[in-house]
Amino acid sequence: TRGEMAKSTQLIDNEVFRAYATYAAIVLLKMMLMSLITAYFRITRKAFVNPEDTESFGKGESAKKYLRTDPDVERARRGHLNDLENIVPFVGIGLLYALSSPELSTALLHFRIFTGARIFHTFAYLMPLPQPSRGLSWAVGYSVTFSMAYRVLKTVWLL
Amino acid sequence: TRGEMAKSTQLIDNEVFRAYATYAAIVLLKMMLMSLITAYFRITRKAFVNPEDTESFGKGESAKKYLRTDPDVERARRGHLNDLENIVPFVGIGLLYALSSPELSTALLHFRIFTGARIFHTFAYLMPLPQPSRGLSWAVGYSVTFSMAYRVLKTVWLL
Amino acid sequence: TRGEMAKSTQLIDNEVFRAYATYAAIVLLKMMLMSLITAYFRITRKAFVNPEDTESFGKGESAKKYLRTDPDVERARRGHLNDLENIVPFVGIGLLYALSSPELSTALLHFRIFTGARIFHTFAYLMPLPQPSRGLSWAVGYSVTFSMAYRVLKTVWLL
């Protein structure tokens, strides 16, 4: 059974799976970056939501004025939530797709377009760029995930 | 090593894994649909949150009135967030469950009840149906994921 | 092909993967618990967001007063969203990390520190504990996921 173990962990030797691992890690790290961006805006704009977060600015009323919303903080938070809504399906469906034995070149195309679209989406949201920049980059990422799901369902049902 | 690679990607040949792939893809696609429903309500109700999204309706004050919340938009957004909160654990724990060698019939029962419950939940939320429709469908999906987690932990600890 | 199937499902025999399965299931269950905590506060504080949820308290105006926000409900919801933002990357990157053949002891260290940090984070958020308790526990979990992502990318690129 030691041999079987070794084999079962060799998924990482598969080229498509390795491509998946690379791009899934990159988009998840990009999503994690949104926490730092939100924290940066909260601290520089002094806009917090939890009373205990403002205590270092003084006690009582003087700290209370920092319990407020700020447009930049809210914008970063919306970008973060949009990442969750779109990167979670990519990571889940992408894993199944990577296991459905697609061509490496096709898989790379899917992973790279999605990753590029989501990085552009974040810039479009934070700067912000005029529409339809953000809308189009969202639609590109959405379509890539949809295309992978189609391939997964086709593979599973035809086997 | 070509042989090992081939083997390691054969996860998709496993019947339980294929059932998992099908239902995980379906619920993730259903969750992605919530983005389209939210966008539909934003456009038909003319209720946006980003100033750059309203620019096609005119400049300055005339566009500003579309920066507002709308009950249908907010309802669709809550349904989307509830999906994230419940479908993410299903996809993660379901993958581990599929790898714990359950009976195919038991696995199908879990996957199908969850998928049915979440589709019903979306209808119950959007129409909306009177309670406890939404609450019960939420509880059914929650229990299925809990049951799969129990099986995963039991399998892992007994090996 | 029955033999291949058996082999491909043996991932669960791998010690690192078993450790991953245990801690991924635990943090996902912990995240699911946030739904129950939010529901508990909604019911005890009588603070709801959907009109259909207040109908059991009476019809019309008498029920409308329960459509309101409550600080404890909002706090539990923020804790839940923070879990989504942090546990999703852990589960996704952790799976890739578990497949990158790390030492069992190193893997256990990563998984246990993350799990401990997130459980502490929930207590720090809900009680709430004075800062920087919550901030530090967030940073510890974040760093663990980052460290796993670094190992994944290093492994994939060096193969």
Side-chain angles (χ1 to χ4, degrees), chain A residues 2 16 42 50 57-58 61 63 72-73 83 85 91 97 115 124 142 147 150 153:
Chain A
R2 183 72 210 159
V16 171
R42 282 206 183 282
N50 296 299
F57 299 115
E61 291 308 310
D72 291 323
V73 170
D83 269 357
E85 292 169 358
V91 169
Y97 172 78
T115 304
Y142 195 88
S147 163
Y150 175 76
L153 293 175

Side-chain angles (χ1 to χ4, degrees), chain A residues 4-5 8-9 11-12 17-18 21-22 28-29 31-33 35-36 49-53 80 88 95, chain C residues 7 10-11 14 75 78 85 88-89 93 95-96 99 125 128 131 134 138 142 145-146 149 156-157 159:
Chain A
E4 281 175 40
M5 260 195 239
S8 61
T9 55
L11 212 48
I12 207 91
F17 191 81
R18 238 151 67 196
T22 303
L28 286 170
L29 287 170
M31 186 170 90
M32 287 171 69
L33 186 63
S35 299
L36 295 184
V49 64
N50 296 299
E52 67 269 26
D53 299 354
H80 200 167
V88 163
L95 173 67
Chain C
K7 254 168 221 155
Q10 304 304 325
L11 212 48
N14 179 292
R75 187 172 278 277
R78 289 196 298 275
E85 292 169 357
V88 163
I93 291 171
L95 173 67
L96 304 172
L99 296 171
Y125 218 148
Q131 285 283 31
R134 196 184 87 237
W138 171 84
Y142 195 88
T145 305
F146 198 85
V156 165
W157 291 345
L159 277 179

Side-chain angles (χ1 to χ4, degrees), chain A residues 11 14 17 92-102 148-159, chain B residues 5-25 95 98-99 104, chain C residues 1 4-11:
Chain A
L11 212 48
N14 179 291
F17 191 81
I93 290 172
L95 173 67
L96 305 172
Y97 172 78
L99 296 172
S100 76
S101 311
M148 294 195 305
Y150 175 76
R151 154 96 195 181
V152 167
L153 293 175
K154 209 180 69 173
T155 306
V156 164
W157 291 344
L158 291 182
L159 277 179
Chain B
M5 260 194 238
K7 255 168 222 154
S8 60
T9 54
Q10 303 305 323
L11 212 48
I12 208 92
D13 288 338
N14 178 291
E15 279 183 320
V16 170
F17 191 81
R18 237 150 70 194
Y20 167 73
T22 303
Y23 292 100
L95 173 67
L99 296 171
L104 177 61
Chain C
T1 68
E4 280 174 41
M5 260 195 238
K7 254 168 221 155
S8 61
T9 54
Q10 304 304 325
L11 212 48

Side-chain angles (χ1 to χ4, degrees), chain C residues 72-139:
Chain C
D72 291 323
V73 170
E74 296 309 305
R75 187 172 278 277
R77 292 182 64 220
R78 289 196 298 275
H80 200 167
L81 186 57
N82 196 281
D83 269 357
L84 267 173
E85 292 169 357
N86 289 279
I87 289 174
V88 163
F90 171 80
V91 169
I93 291 171
L95 173 67
L96 304 172
Y97 172 78
L99 296 171
S100 76
S101 310
E103 287 291 322
L104 176 61
S105 58
T106 315
L108 280 172
L109 201 67
H110 279 81
F111 300 157
R112 285 173 180 164
I113 291 175
F114 182 88
T115 304
R118 293 309 305 181
I119 291 172
F120 183 85
H121 183 272
T122 300
F123 278 101
Y125 218 148
L126 292 182
M127 301 199 57
L129 296 178
Q131 285 283 31
S133 314
R134 196 184 87 237
L136 282 182
S137 59
W138 171 84

Side-chain angles (χ1 to χ4, degrees), chain A residues 14 75 78 125 131 134 142, chain B residues 8-9 32 50 52-53:
Chain A
N14 179 291
R75 187 172 279 277
R78 289 197 298 276
Y125 218 148
Q131 285 284 30
R134 197 184 85 238
Y142 195 88
Chain B
S8 60
T9 54
M32 287 171 68
N50 297 299
E52 68 269 26
D53 299 355

